[in-house]
Amino acid sequence: AQSVSQHNHHVILSEAASLELGCNYSYGGTVNLFWYVQYPGQHLQLLLKYFSGDPLVKGIKGFEAEFIKSKFSFNLRKPSVQWSDTAEYFCAVNPRPNTGTASKLTFGTGTRLQVTL
Amino acid sequence: GAGVSQSPSNKVTEKGKDVELRCDPISGHTALYWYRQSLGQGLEFLIYFQGNSAPDKSGLPSDRFSAERTGGSVSTLTIQRTQQEDSAVYLCASSFFAGGSSYEQYFGPGTRLTVT
């Protein structure tokens, strides 16, 4: 079974600081990788995704993530955070099965980002 | 376009009562998923539908939980004889599925269930 680790549980940054949130997964096969964001009082929204190809993927609102296969990592980055980035961020994976069926997402425990003015 | 919708948004019920939670996926999405989000357990998978069949029910915590999907669209998650530990936010997601591959999942706003 796959698992996802997010090492930072709570991160506090000042506006304009750079952000990097760690995500590591454990799975023996090929996976799809995602970052979701949950703003206060809102539902989960897709921030970015990786299926194949260029391991550096760009998402909405200036976020990007890099898939490093050898490290089983998919870290989220943003060069300069804004107060409006205050939210909870979830890394998620699902296996890419050969059986022609879809598959469930396995989530990390989430990282709460607080951006101060 | 319209996203995933769920109803009710909030449900308070007494321990021992049955509840039904509804999910309307994005039109054209053949895959539908139920998850729950709670403080102690994070985001957990419950069940997944492809069309009207459920190839993966591995996350249902007990036989008090069941789900169905009709017409390849709306899904209902039923919890019988609710317990306090069932209190959580129940999330529904849907995704496009074609050519043997699934795509990213889009989540609804959730139903917050409180069992008193």
Side-chain angles (χ1 to χ4, degrees):
Chain A
Q2 64 268 27
S3 65
V4 180
S5 297
Q6 290 183 246
H7 314 296
N8 316 103
H9 298 294
H10 187 194
V11 173
I12 303 174
L13 293 173
S14 300
E15 263 204 332
S18 64
L19 169 72
E20 181 160 2
L21 301 182
C23 172
N24 287 89
Y25 70 93
S26 172
Y27 182 69
T30 307
V31 295
N32 301 318
L33 297 147
F34 307 87
W35 277 96
Y36 284 86
V37 60
Q38 190 168 30
Y39 297 103
Q42 296 188 27
H43 62 280
L44 275 169
Q45 299 173 38
L46 182 67
L47 201 54
L48 47 76
K49 62 192 179 192
Y50 174 80
F51 288 141
S52 63
D54 188 344
L56 183 63
V57 292
K58 295 192 183 298
I60 60 172
K61 305 187 180 185
F63 286 90
E64 65 179 31
E66 184 175 13
F67 171 47
I68 303 179
K69 190 174 180 180
S70 61
K71 295 185 178 180
F72 297 89
S73 70
F74 191 56
N75 292 355
L76 181 70
R77 300 195 292 249
K78 185 171 184 179
S80 175
V81 295
Q82 300 174 305
W83 179 80
S84 58
D85 294 325
T86 295
E88 189 147 17
Y89 293 80
F90 294 92
C91 181
V93 303
N94 66 355
R96 207 178 304 162
N98 299 321
T99 55
T101 60
S103 60
K104 65 185 181 187
L105 286 169
T106 297
F107 286 88
T109 51
T111 297
R112 189 157 74 93
L113 172 65
Q114 187 178 347
V115 180
T116 60
L117 296 170
Chain B
V4 177
S5 60
Q6 293 186 245
S7 61
S9 54
N10 277 286
K11 177 72 177 178
V12 180
T13 190
E14 291 179 354
K15 178 180 168 182
K17 300 281 189 186
D18 298 351
V19 294
E20 280 190 357
L21 312 180
R22 177 188 165 106
C23 171
D24 259 295
I26 292 171
S27 177
H29 281 191
T30 54
L32 184 149
Y33 312 78
W34 284 97
Y35 298 85
R36 73 176 176 182
Q37 186 175 23
S38 57
L39 278 175
Q41 301 298 322
L43 276 152
E44 306 173 276
F45 166 77
L46 297 177
I47 185 171
Y48 138 66
F49 287 91
Q50 191 160 314
N52 291 334
S53 62
D56 189 351
K57 306 179 185 179
S58 62
L60 294 178
S62 75
D63 59 8
R64 296 186 296 104
F65 287 71
S66 63
E68 64 174 15
R69 189 180 187 194
T70 54
S73 181
V74 172
S75 175
T76 304
L77 177 70
T78 301
I79 310 173
Q80 295 178 309
R81 305 181 303 282
T82 52
Q83 304 293 311
Q84 287 187 328
E85 61 262 28
D86 300 334
S87 296
V89 177
Y90 288 82
L91 299 172
C92 178
S94 69
S95 74
F96 187 58
F97 183 84
S101 297
S102 62
Y103 294 77
E104 59 272 22
Q105 296 178 27
Y106 292 90
F107 283 80
T111 293
R112 182 176 296 278
L113 176 65
T114 304
V115 182
T116 61

